[in-house]
Each structure stands twice: as structure tokens, then as C-alpha cells.
Amino acid sequence: MHPHARSPRRLFIFLATGIVAVLVLTGIVLSSRSTPEATGVPAGSGDSVLRGETVRLLLVGDPFAVALEEASTELEQLAGGQLEIEVVGYDDVRRLTLRNAQDKVSAYDLVSFDVVWAGEYGELGVLLPLEQLVARARAQVEPEDFLDIAYAQSRYRGHQLGLPIQPHPELLWYRKDRLAADGLQPPRTTDELLQVARHYHKQEAGEYGIVWNGQRGQAFGQQMAHFYAAFGQPLLDRAGRPTLNTPQGVAAARFALELLKVSPPDVVNTAWDQRPRRIAQGEVTMTYEWGARAFLVEEAPASNVAGKIGYAAAPHAPGMEPVTPIGTWSLGIPANIGPRQELAWRVLSWLTSRQVLKVLARYGNGGMPRKSLLRDPELVRRYPVFSVVDQLSQAGQLQDWMRPAVPQWPQLAEILGTTYHDMLLGRLTPEQAAARAQQQAEALFALRATGH
């Protein structure tokens, strides 16, 4: 077993830059709330879920993990056992999961995973396929109640590798009070986005039009993948070959350079955690941000914009189809779980049930994978973003093709996030960056094809 497997109950490990800030802000939010009232968790849970056992979870530091930690005492009482939770940063949850997979027996009963890793995990056999377990407990799991795309994202080559715990559509957040005061509508296209951002960009006054993920590496790589999607350009063609050096790809790069002009000077060092904080402080008018983090502006006492934020679909290039990128965090069972498989499955199906997910929503998880909860009147009042996500889902505008779940995804995102970052720093033109990214991506996929 790994040394980290012996972590004390509810151990938090912060290994990623910026994760402390978000979780501290989250803690402030949660500490200001009264304890949620008892909820309709399935009766008899104490006899059927933990049965006096301690279950070990490896989680990324996202809202669902924070909510689970805050709700753990209530859930432990209901389930009749203990939840031992280890929370780490984005890159570290993948690293620790891959390392854990090399052990004879897993140190964890459940692990969270970004669905973009499904290809890599599927190829390496990291996670236990769940389709037979789901089939036997279909009435309990209710797979049809999950957002269709979130459930599908957790699958690789016919194998269900996990169940969704937190979908993450990257929406456009905007100051609805400012736009309304100036008679402006939320931007629907990239051209309109730039116009609105220019209107509110007053750098000398410390006010900026928009903020986004410009940090070198994975953060900007994922943002560029979303910009490619806005211009209708997939990263791979139908045969799985890189398609980065195209007119649409170059247009996406030019769009990033135009955004740079209406963004904070340090946007090239900005990543996920800083975006909600910047808009919560009131210094920016818009941001690209995950819907599940809306509570960071709506409920944090430190937020200056509670009730002033609107949520809209990600803007698309003129003439292109509307598309909003969605990522999802899912929970899976390590393939090397050994004799604890039955326990792990009981807990997994319970934690992702609509009853427990509603408990987590009341403790601050603003990313709901179940359709029924996105339409729950009580939750919609607290999380206005739920209605937007539901509408986009019903319209078929939530898509994931811009972040292909292939084994090469982490390296492909790194290529995008470093090559185009050089462009942001003025070292490459958009055309040069697209050509270099294409060359590096082709080499990456050729290397994979040869088995090296």
C-alpha cells in the first residue's frame, strides 16, 4: 500500500497551485451556512451501505469533494460507517491513481476521474468496468436520470468506467447588472463577446473585460480546445488524426490574441481557481467558468457580486453551430480493488443516487449530474445555473468532442497549452503556432501508433 493510504480521516492534501485559495473560499461559504435539514436518503442505509466499514476515497478538490467532506458526518450516520477522504489537486489525482493501479491491491475503494482520462484509464485497465453491476441494479442506479452526455463520457469502448458525480459545462459568466444598465445583451458570438469586453475594459482603472485560463500547460490547453470548438474545429478528424493547423484553428488562435487585449495583464498566469475569484471581486465583467462553481460568487461572504451574475452558453464564432463544452468528474472503482469490490460498488451507487446527490447540493455541490435534480424547484432557487444547464442539455448544445477522451489527451492538451502560450507571449504568430502544434501532435500520435 502507498503511504498516503494511511492518511487520517478527512485528510486534505493541497498539491496544485491555487487549490488552497478555492477551498479556503469554499470553507468560508460553507461555514456560514446552517446545517442542512435531514434529507430523504434511502431508509435502512445503515444496514445496507457501509455496515460498519471505513471506505477510502481519492478525490480532486472540486465542489463535490468539499460538499462530501462537509456532509460526511451526516452521511456516515446514515450509512453506518466512516468515509476516509483524501483530496488532492488536478494533476495529482491522476498521478496518484495511475500509481495506485500498479499495486497488487488498491489503497482506495473509489477514485474520482476527469472523463478526458477515460481513454488512458481504459487502455491501461485502471478502473473496473461497471456495466454488469449497473445492469443488475438498474432500478437503483437509474442511468436514464443522468445527463446523457455525462453518463456517456464515463464510458470507454463499451465499458462503463464510472458514474457521474459532477458535470462541468464551461459557461460564460457575466455581470448581468452592468449589461442591463447599459442596455446590452449577453454575447452569443465571439464577435459580440469581444465587443462587450472592449466596452468594459478600463485597464487604467483596474477594470477588465474578461478573464480566462491563460496559464501555460493544461489550463490554457483545455481553453484552446474550447476555442477551437467555438470555431467549429475538432482537434481530431474521424480517423483520429490531429487537425490543428486549419483556417478555423488559426482563427481560434487569433481570437485568443484579441481576448488578451481585454483581459488582466496576468491572464497568461491565470488558471481555473483564479477565474471565479476575479469576477467575485468585481474587477472583471465576464469569465469563462465551470457551472458547478457558481456558489463561489453567489454564496461567498467575500463575493461582491452575489445575485449579479448571469450564466449563458459559451459564445460561438459567427456562422458556427452553438456548442458549450462539458467536462465531467466521475467516480470509479480501481480495477485492483480485490475483495472490497462489493463494498465499493454499494458506496458508489449510493453516493451517486439522487437522494445523496441532493444532500451534497445542500452542502454546496453546484454541479448536478441528474436531470431530476437540475429541475428540482428547491435546488433551482439556490442554483439558477441549473436551469441554464438543463436548457442547453435539452437543446443538444452540451458537447464533449472538443476534449477527446483518447489516451493521448493529457499530452495533446499540453501541446496546445505550451505552443499557443508562446503565441500569447509574442514568440509565435497564430499561423506558426498552429503549424508547430500540428507537427508536435502528429509526432505524438505516430509514437502511440508504433507502440512506443
Side-chain angles (χ1 to χ4, degrees), residues 294-341:
F295 74 96
L296 290 172
V297 294
E298 300 290 3
E299 301 187 0
S303 174
N304 297 322
V305 299
K308 300 177 181 179
I309 300 298
Y311 309 95
H316 56 89
M320 296 298 171
E321 291 293 323
V323 59
T324 293
I326 182 171
T328 296
W329 282 101
S330 287
L331 289 178
I333 300 174
N336 56 341
I337 186 66
R340 293 172 65 86
Q341 178 179 319

Side-chain angles (χ1 to χ4, degrees), residues 168-239:
H168 255 323
E170 189 181 63
L171 305 170
L172 180 70
W173 295 12
Y174 62 93
R175 286 289 299 273
K176 61 183 180 182
D177 58 329
R178 291 180 181 175
L179 269 64
D182 293 337
L184 299 176
Q185 295 296 318
R188 295 174 299 174
T189 70
T190 50
D191 286 353
E192 292 173 357
L193 176 69
L194 290 170
Q195 291 173 3
V196 173
R198 289 169 187 144
H199 180 78
Y200 291 104
H201 189 71
K202 301 177 178 63
Q203 184 165 338
E204 66 282 357
E207 300 174 3
Y208 309 99
I210 190 169
V211 69
W212 38 283
N213 276 354
Q215 186 182 88
R216 189 178 187 87
Q218 291 291 320
F220 187 42
Q222 293 192 24
Q223 192 75 79
M224 276 304 302
H226 295 177
F227 291 166
Y228 263 69
F231 284 80
Q233 180 61 62
L235 302 184
L236 306 176
D237 63 18
R238 293 186 177 181

Side-chain angles (χ1 to χ4, degrees), residues 37 64 69 72 76 95 97 135 160 194 213 218 242 244 269-270 280 298 393 404 419 445:
E37 61 190 46
F64 74 90
E69 167 65 12
S72 61
E76 287 172 341
R95 177 180 60 82
T97 298
Q160 194 70 35
L194 290 170
N213 276 354
Q218 291 291 320
L244 305 183
N269 297 317
T270 296
E298 300 290 3
S393 176
T419 304
F445 280 73

Side-chain angles (χ1 to χ4, degrees), residues 340-381:
R340 293 172 65 86
Q341 178 179 319
E342 181 185 350
L343 171 64
W345 169 245
R346 288 200 311 269
V347 177
L348 173 59
S349 57
W350 184 66
L351 286 176
T352 55
S353 68
R354 69 171 74 188
Q355 296 90 345
V356 173
L357 285 172
K358 188 166 184 176
V359 173
L360 297 182
R362 288 175 170 168
Y363 277 94
N365 183 19
M368 280 297 106
R370 289 191 176 273
K371 302 170 189 174
S372 57
L373 296 182
L374 290 174
R375 301 163 189 169
D376 183 293
E378 175 192 353
L379 297 183
V380 170
R381 284 193 296 271

Side-chain angles (χ1 to χ4, degrees), residues 194 197-198 200-203 206-214 227 255-268 270 278 283-284 286-288 424:
L194 290 170
R198 289 169 187 144
Y200 291 104
H201 189 71
K202 301 177 178 63
Q203 184 165 338
E207 300 174 3
Y208 309 99
I210 190 169
V211 69
W212 38 283
N213 276 354
F227 291 166
F255 172 64
L257 284 180
E258 289 301 309
L259 283 179
L260 192 62
K261 300 174 184 177
V262 289
S263 303
D266 61 350
V267 72
V268 295
T270 296
R278 301 297 282 269
E283 62 181 285
V284 299
M286 296 180 292
T287 184
Y288 287 96
L424 295 182

Side-chain angles (χ1 to χ4, degrees), residues 61-75:
D62 249 32
F64 74 90
V66 178
L68 185 59
E69 167 65 12
E70 290 295 318
S72 61
T73 299
E74 179 180 343
L75 293 178

Side-chain angles (χ1 to χ4, degrees), residues 361-417:
R362 288 175 170 168
Y363 277 94
N365 183 19
M368 280 297 106
R370 289 191 176 273
K371 302 170 189 174
S372 57
L373 296 182
L374 290 174
R375 301 163 189 169
D376 183 293
E378 175 192 353
L379 297 183
V380 170
R381 284 193 296 271
R382 179 169 177 177
Y383 300 102
V385 71
F386 280 13
S387 294
V388 178
V389 174
D390 188 35
Q391 292 166 10
L392 292 174
S393 176
Q394 293 188 60
Q397 292 183 24
L398 297 179
Q399 298 291 331
D400 65 347
W401 50 261
M402 67 289 299
R403 298 198 305 163
V406 294
Q408 300 95 327
W409 166 253
Q411 294 78 23
L412 180 58
E414 196 70 24
I415 288 171
L416 291 171

